[in-house]
Amino acid sequence: MPHSHGLRGRTRHLFKKAHKKHGVSSTGKALQTYHVGDIVDIVADSSEHRGFVWKGQHGKTGIVFNVSPRAVGVIIHKVVGNRYMEKRVNIRCEHVRHSKCREDFIRRVKENAEKKKQAKASGEQVNVKRIPAQPRSSSTISVSKENAIETLRPIAYDTYI
């Protein structure tokens, strides 16, 4: 049987709502404030059909470039061939939420500012650069009577009939 290649083709599970989350979305979603430059995630809300997103934009992260009374304009990047093309899409607020991708960065900036402030007060130097996980240090195992070498081997297969 031929496939239908419509706008919402093959989206049976893509736009599905979570268990016990069906029905009309809360009003708080529409009352969220967005500013130009905010980083947002595009997650389609299937209970709101107006301002719906195309299936290829669902799950993408973008930057707000325009704010209107009921919708936001979002810049997203789409892979076309071997390059990324900038796409500007207008989406209703129900299908957009603030991204949590910068929370760790903002928390780290605040912690570093506090460390610098404390170091300046005490007159010390502080290093706020992140250091990647280093290899484990070497160690030597001594062999003694208490710490004898034990050889393990598998038990031979035998049928017990």
Side-chain angles (χ1 to χ4, degrees), residues 62-156:
I63 299 171
V64 174
F65 74 91
N66 182 31
V67 180
S68 60
R70 287 175 198 87
V72 291
V74 181
I75 298 173
I76 58 173
H77 290 90
K78 179 182 177 182
V79 178
V80 179
N82 62 348
R83 65 194 185 279
Y84 285 96
M85 286 186 71
E86 183 183 279
K87 295 284 180 182
R88 292 174 179 252
V89 291
N90 291 304
I91 305 166
R92 274 180 81 102
C93 296
E94 289 87 353
H95 310 294
V96 168
R97 62 181 174 214
H98 287 284
S99 182
K100 296 183 178 178
C101 64
R102 285 179 60 85
E103 280 184 357
D104 183 49
F105 170 73
I106 291 167
R107 180 192 53 77
R108 204 170 65 245
V109 167
K110 288 178 182 175
E111 285 177 3
N112 290 347
E114 186 63 33
K115 285 178 188 175
K116 287 178 184 177
K117 188 177 177 183
Q118 290 174 357
K120 190 173 184 180
S122 64
E124 297 175 3
Q125 288 287 336
V126 66
N127 185 15
V128 293
K129 289 188 177 181
R130 291 178 293 168
I131 301 169
Q134 299 296 312
R136 291 177 294 179
S137 60
S138 63
S139 60
T140 307
I141 299 172
S142 62
V143 179
S144 62
K145 289 195 176 194
E146 299 86 28
N147 192 16
I149 297 173
E150 186 179 342
T151 307
L152 300 174
R153 50 176 75 92
I155 300 169

Side-chain angles (χ1 to χ4, degrees), residues 155-160:
I155 300 169
Y157 178 73
D158 193 15
T159 55
Y160 299 102

